[in-house]
Amino acid sequence: APGVAPVVYGQADRPPRGDYSRASDDYTCAQDYDAYTEADHDTYRRLYERQSALLPGLASQHFIDALPSLGAKDRIPRFEEVNERLRRATGWEIVGVPGLIPEVPFFSLLANRKFPVTDWIRKPEEFEYIVEPDVFHDLFGHVPLLFNPVIADYIQAYGQGGLKAAELGACEMLSRLYWYTIEFGLIREQGGLRAYGAGILSSSGELNYSVRSPEPQRLPLSLERAMRTLYKIDSYQHTYFVIDDLQQLFDLTAADFEPLYRQLRDQPTVAADALLPGEVAL
Ligand code: PHE
Ligand code: FE
């Protein structure tokens, strides 16, 4: 496959780690299960153990309920085993990739209910923090909510919308929405604020920070606002957007975005930490 342009997560300042010569034209590759060492499985086990202990009171109940569907906690799951359950639950499947992939192939996979999962795992010294998504972020962070029917349909619709956005030159705006929902979204639940975004759910520090810290600002999700807002890829977020329930996310994004893209194109972007006149943080 050709080179890689990690656009969805913003431009990384170093070349991606994965070996893209393993990938086919659609950027997918078989999970190289035999390549995992015992140390790799141990890294996964320790990440899973720590992260799952942090979830109560911070993670969305939708996520907590779905997490056991991932399967193995003590080793990196085989993608095929996850898929047996996932296909039955929502018709989604996960496919291996060497790392971040360009936006159009990414959108095409999502539009076909295929979620790309990086197959390699971070090194032990990256236990606390890794710049690129690895198998722990992709599996633990993203895959449980693919078992949820509302999110399952939302992410497919996002993929279809992405293909359209690519034709309209609007990928950047749409990627910001992905960032502030699928990656860093917060949701109101019975017990209070909770996280449903994968970037939060797979981070030990940001989970508590995003939900409890008085530092960041939290705003009700607005498409226009999220699509204009720049984001940080190398620090905790300064702004989080909150939804009332998953159905709200689905309903908000149901309309055709083309008029919105046209309207937003003439508006300035908003800094990651800006509060606009008239806005009140939650
Ligand atoms: N409705 C959007 C469009 O017409 C597509 C979309 C769906 C985007 C779901 C995000 C999430 O472009
Ligand atoms: Fe992610």
Side-chain angles (χ1 to χ4, degrees):
V4 69
V7 184
V8 169
Y9 292 84
Q11 216 60 50
D13 56 3
R14 60 184 87 186
R17 182 180 307 181
D19 172 11
Y20 287 78
S21 70
R22 295 168 49 217
S24 354
D25 288 345
D26 66 355
Y27 284 90
T28 65
C29 60
Q31 180 185 24
D32 193 357
Y33 205 82
D34 294 335
Y36 300 133
T37 63
E38 278 313 307
D40 289 337
H41 288 299
D42 193 57
T43 300
Y44 185 88
R45 181 188 61 75
R46 289 186 299 124
L47 284 165
Y48 191 113
E49 185 175 81
R50 175 176 68 175
Q51 204 62 20
S52 52
L54 293 173
L55 300 177
L58 296 173
S60 165
Q61 197 58 45
H62 296 292
F63 181 85
I64 292 177
D65 291 345
L67 183 60
S69 301
L70 260 195
K73 324 170 170 192
D74 53 345
R75 59 187 169 82
I76 301 167
R78 285 186 189 268
F79 293 176
E80 260 322 303
E81 280 174 26
V82 177
N83 279 341
E84 281 168 27
R85 293 183 290 274
L86 187 53
R87 279 194 207 102
R88 239 183 293 125
T90 56
W92 270 82
E93 58 184 281
I94 56 177
V95 289
V97 285
L100 292 170
I101 66 175
E103 48 205 4
V104 169
F106 179 68
F107 295 143
S108 301
L109 289 173
L110 299 185
N112 290 296
R113 281 173 114 84
K114 292 180 201 292
F115 195 87
V117 173
T118 302
D119 70 346
W120 52 264
I121 193 156
R122 68 194 70 184
K123 302 183 181 120
E125 60 269 28
E126 293 164 316
F127 194 77
E128 295 303 330
Y129 182 79
I130 178 162
V131 198
E132 277 179 84
D134 70 341
V135 68
F136 182 73
H137 165 79
D138 282 342
L139 266 186
F140 188 96
H142 286 284
V143 177
L145 282 179
L146 290 175
F147 284 85
N148 178 290
V150 177
I151 290 288
D153 287 348
Y154 173 73
I155 299 188
Q156 179 179 27
Y158 173 84
Q160 292 162 337
L163 293 172
K164 197 171 74 185
E167 282 171 15
L168 299 171
C171 285
E172 219 180 340
M173 288 183 253
L174 189 63
S175 299
R176 292 188 198 121
L177 179 65
Y178 186 89
W179 187 264
Y180 284 117
T181 59
I182 293 303
E183 292 291 350
F184 291 95
L186 296 179
I187 184 169
R188 258 184 234 285
E189 290 186 354
Q190 301 252 303
L193 213 53
R194 298 288 186 269
Y196 72 93
I200 303 176
L201 292 163
S202 64
S203 159
S204 67
E206 191 154 4
L207 188 51
N208 187 69
Y209 175 87
S210 64
V211 174
R212 300 252 172 86
S213 168
E215 246 174 78
Q217 56 183 7
R218 301 174 184 85
L219 300 173
L221 177 64
S222 131
L223 292 184
E224 295 82 350
R225 179 60 157 82
M227 285 192 192
R228 288 174 61 196
T229 307
L230 305 173
Y231 54 79
K232 303 280 174 188
I233 64 163
D234 54 1
S235 70
Y236 295 164
Q237 301 303 304
H238 295 296
T239 300
Y240 298 94
F241 290 95
V242 182
I243 57 173
D244 293 326
D245 53 50
L246 296 180
Q247 192 62 38
Q248 184 199 9
L249 184 60
F250 192 76
D251 295 344
L252 262 182
T253 53
D256 181 358
F257 280 10
E258 191 184 350
L260 185 59
Y261 295 147
R262 226 176 303 122
Q263 175 201 329
L264 292 181
R265 200 158 278 136
D266 306 321
Q267 294 188 24
T269 55
V270 177
D273 59 353
L275 192 64
L276 301 180
E279 283 181 343
V280 183
L282 302 171

